[in-house]
Amino acid sequence: MGFTGIPDEAFLFYEGLEADNSKTYFSRHRQLYEEAVRAPMLALADELGEEFGEAKVYRPYRDIRYSKNKSPYKTHQGVFVGLAHGIGFYVEVSAAGLHVAGGLYSQAPDQVARYRAAVDEDTTGKPLEALVATLDAAGYERGGDRLKTKPRGVPDDHPRLDLLRHRSLYAGRRFEPEPWVHTPEVADRVRACWRDFGPLVDWLCTHVRGSELPGRP
């Protein structure tokens, strides 16, 4: 069966998990997670795969080895289409609704160096500035890890100083769990957002990606 929407039970599951992030809660509601969360997100990934590529549906478990937060489970279910290391399209479901995004999530030192070199150069930096301005004007949120100050060696009056502060960069939009979220319209909305993010992802694949994965087809 194809993708039919995200059932209301998915949001109820995550509301409960936020209140009781424990193995007991997850074990008791494991079937609900599989049927209301994981299965629909797998179907959504299949629905979008022909246009955007194969997606990874993340496991529900958190890596708590080096984290002060020892909660064992993620309070969202993420799906990522990776076109290069840490670059691609993302969608997640949580108690708050849907989050759709696309861009650079990695902070590998070599990628940060290539990103900043491309932003610094006018021939490559100005097109990125225009892409980001278009997404900003369309109402998308700009996200990513940023320096509070400026990178070392960058002048205070650099025309793209704000972009140079980024160590990761993505655009996104959040949708509350309104009635349409329970219908196939979800795929249309995610697809429309990902298409809007496409030029940004393409720029990042061209100028930031390593050699381990191909770029966008």
Side-chain angles (χ1 to χ4, degrees), residues 117-129 158-160 203:
V119 174
D120 181 54
E121 177 63 42
D122 280 350
T123 56
T124 49
K126 285 184 177 180
L128 175 63
E129 187 176 29
H158 195 289
R160 291 176 295 280
W203 188 96

Side-chain angles (χ1 to χ4, degrees), residues 79-133:
V79 173
F80 185 65
V81 178
L83 302 180
H85 179 69
I87 301 173
F89 301 100
Y90 180 76
V91 60
E92 73 172 35
V93 61
S94 69
L98 293 176
H99 181 218
V100 186
L104 169 67
Y105 294 87
S106 171
Q107 297 180 35
D110 61 317
Q111 289 181 301
V112 174
R114 286 194 293 274
Y115 167 79
R116 287 185 174 151
V119 174
D120 181 54
E121 177 63 42
D122 280 350
T123 56
T124 49
K126 285 184 177 180
L128 175 63
E129 187 176 29
L131 290 174
V132 170

Side-chain angles (χ1 to χ4, degrees), residues 26-163:
F26 193 87
S27 297
R28 185 182 300 131
H29 298 89
R30 181 64 186 249
Q31 185 173 351
L32 179 62
Y33 164 77
E34 295 289 347
E35 294 177 356
V37 177
R38 189 169 181 84
M41 295 301 276
L42 284 168
L44 178 61
D46 288 342
E47 180 89 7
L48 299 169
E50 183 175 347
E51 179 174 351
F52 297 97
E54 184 177 356
K56 176 179 180 179
V57 179
Y58 289 108
R59 288 158 51 88
Y61 313 105
R62 294 184 63 251
D63 184 353
I64 61 175
R65 290 174 297 174
Y66 309 109
S67 175
K68 293 181 180 180
N69 179 2
K70 297 304 180 181
S71 300
Y73 301 102
K74 299 172 185 175
T75 54
H76 60 268
Q77 176 63 67
V79 173
F80 185 65
V81 178
L83 302 180
H85 179 69
I87 301 173
F89 301 100
Y90 180 76
V91 60
E92 73 172 35
V93 61
S94 69
L98 293 176
H99 181 218
V100 186
L104 169 67
Y105 294 87
S106 171
Q107 297 180 35
D110 61 317
Q111 289 181 301
V112 174
R114 286 194 293 274
Y115 167 79
R116 287 185 174 151
V119 174
D120 181 54
E121 177 63 42
D122 280 350
T123 56
T124 49
K126 285 184 177 180
L128 175 63
E129 187 176 29
L131 290 174
V132 170
T134 298
L135 292 169
D136 288 347
Y140 290 110
E141 301 172 0
R142 192 194 315 179
D145 181 64
R146 300 175 63 216
L147 297 175
K148 293 182 179 179
T149 57
K150 61 184 179 65
R152 185 178 302 172
V154 174
D156 292 337
D157 60 350
H158 195 289
R160 291 176 295 280
L161 179 59
D162 187 52
L163 287 173

